[in-house]
Structure formats: structure tokens, C-alpha cells
Amino acid sequence: MSHTPLKNDVAEPQEVALLRQELAAAFRICHRFGWSESVGNHFSAAVSPSGRKFLLNPRWQHFASIKASDLLLLDADDPDVMTGPNAPDPSAWVVHGTLHRMLPEARVILHCHSPYALALACLKDPTMLPLDNNTARFFGRIGYDLEFGGIADAQEEGIRLARMMKGKSVLVMGNHGVSIAGETVADAFEDLYFFEKAAQTMILALSTGKPLSILSDEVAQATADGWGPYRGMAIRHFDHLKSELERDDPSYKM
């Protein structure tokens, strides 16, 4: 697949090449965890400080097959992106293009419909309650968008989502799924991993029908803050998951 070169405001070629490999690995790992959905859903990663130039998966390519070289290099300010021969999925362009343009701090954005996160998003009140270490990890870090209107195809929806996600690293999209933002692919994937575990805890606890033991705001905040020194876990975890890809099918790096 050919890509239009973007000369200005883009990271060094070696950095972009590595980012391509990291993002491609995230797609493959997501599928292995059972979180892919036919040939839909999208991951993206900024290659410029402004966030306006970013990598995105091609339209309708299965997560299990994505290679580093397949990823599209797009410009969020380019009005002709959707008329080109390799135009991305319209909903991906509306959402990820707008998020990267409006939230340059959101370097990597992962969106999927993982089972428990989606189940949580389908509740009338999808608030993640602080019940344990994993659920409290996200205390104060989640934005909620409860205005689902079908598949995103309008710029206004991307703008609304960006406003809801501003200052947060997680966006629960009501009746839809979850989007995670992180500084690196490893950081974002680690939050995606732990958010799914947290959502599983929430759904299982709610399914008992018994009263929940909810942590106080003070304990929840202390728990969330306590995760800070453990940020290095993300790199070690992601490196391990990549090592499994290397062993079974290293084609993601191509």
C-alpha cells in the first residue's frame, strides 16, 4: 500500500518506523485477546507534536493481518483525505482525525468493543465505581459520552467526543464501547487491558444483585495515585506480549 509522504512536523523516520511496529503489534494482540470485531474498529497514533499527522489502520483490514507498512499516514487538516484511493473508514476519520486535531496530548488512541467494557457502556449509568485496585485505577480519569446516535459519520460527533475526552485518558462511549488515550502504545494498551478487567469486575459484582462495597473518594483517589509508580509495568507487559507475537508470527513488523 502506498502512502503520501508528509514532510513537515513529523517525527524522525526511525521513530515513525518503530511507532508503526508498536501500533501493528497492538492490533494483533487485541485480536488475540478476543477484542477485535470483524474488520471494524480503529487504533491511531500521532507522529507529529501537534497530533495532526497520525497513523491509522486501513479501511476494513482485519486486526489479525495488520502489518506496520499497512498503516495509513494521514493529515487531520487535509480536506482531500476521504477522496483519495486509500481513504480510511469514514467513522475512523471523523473520530480519530478530530480527536488528534483537538487533543494533541492524546498521542495514541485505541478504540474497540471489548466485551465487558461494552457491557458497561450499555448500562443506563455506566459509571465505573471504585471497588478494587483495578476499578479505582481509573478514578477521575474517565469521560462519559451518553449521546450515541449510530455509527459516527458527522464532524459534530467527533467534536463532541473530543470535548468529553479532554483532560481524561478514558472515554466510555454509551451504547458503543471504549476509547483509551495514552502517551505511548504500551501505556494506552495497558489502560485498555486494565479497563477491560475493571469492567469485568463491575459487571460481575453487579450481577450478584447484592449491595456493592464502594471505596470512599479519598481511598479511590489514593489508589489511583498509587498506580503512578507502576507505570513501567506497561512496557514490560507489552514487551512480553510482543515476544509472543515474535515467536508465533513476526510479520506484524513488516
Side-chain angles (χ1 to χ4, degrees), residues 128 135 138-144 164 168-172 195:
M128 176 69 77
T135 50
F138 299 99
F139 187 75
R141 297 176 53 201
I142 306 173
Y144 296 89
M164 292 296 182
K168 308 294 183 181
S169 55
V170 179
L171 180 65
V172 171
F195 192 83

Side-chain angles (χ1 to χ4, degrees), residues 36 78 80 92 97 137 160 193:
S36 59
D78 184 355
D80 299 321
R137 174 189 179 99
R160 188 188 75 245
Y193 173 86

Side-chain angles (χ1 to χ4, degrees), residues 5-43:
L6 303 173
K7 297 181 180 179
N8 300 317
D9 191 32
V10 179
E12 293 296 322
Q14 302 93 320
E15 295 175 5
V16 175
L18 179 59
L19 186 57
R20 283 181 174 277
Q21 291 182 4
E22 295 276 288
L23 196 59
F27 286 109
R28 301 283 187 106
I29 295 165
C30 185
H31 173 67
R32 288 185 171 214
F33 282 171
W35 301 343
S36 59
E37 186 156 299
S38 181
V39 293
N41 289 176
H42 311 95
F43 292 175

Side-chain angles (χ1 to χ4, degrees), residues 220-233:
Q221 187 62 64
T223 305
D225 294 342
W227 275 102
Y230 291 89
R231 183 182 174 192
M233 287 175 59

Side-chain angles (χ1 to χ4, degrees), residues 63-111:
F63 277 23
S65 71
I66 289 178
K67 302 188 296 292
S69 59
D70 292 327
L71 298 174
L72 304 173
L73 180 55
L74 304 175
D75 186 336
D77 294 320
D78 184 355
D80 299 321
V81 164
M82 292 307 298
T83 62
N86 294 324
D89 182 89
S91 64
W93 177 244
V94 164
V95 175
H96 289 255
T98 306
L99 290 177
H100 280 294
R101 187 174 67 252
M102 294 182 63
L103 304 174
E105 66 276 14
R107 307 304 299 166
V108 177
I109 301 172
L110 309 181
H111 169 69

Side-chain angles (χ1 to χ4, degrees), residues 213-235:
S213 177
I214 302 172
L215 302 176
S216 68
D217 286 358
E218 292 76 16
V219 172
Q221 187 62 64
T223 305
D225 294 342
W227 275 102
Y230 291 89
R231 183 182 174 192
M233 287 175 59
I235 297 174

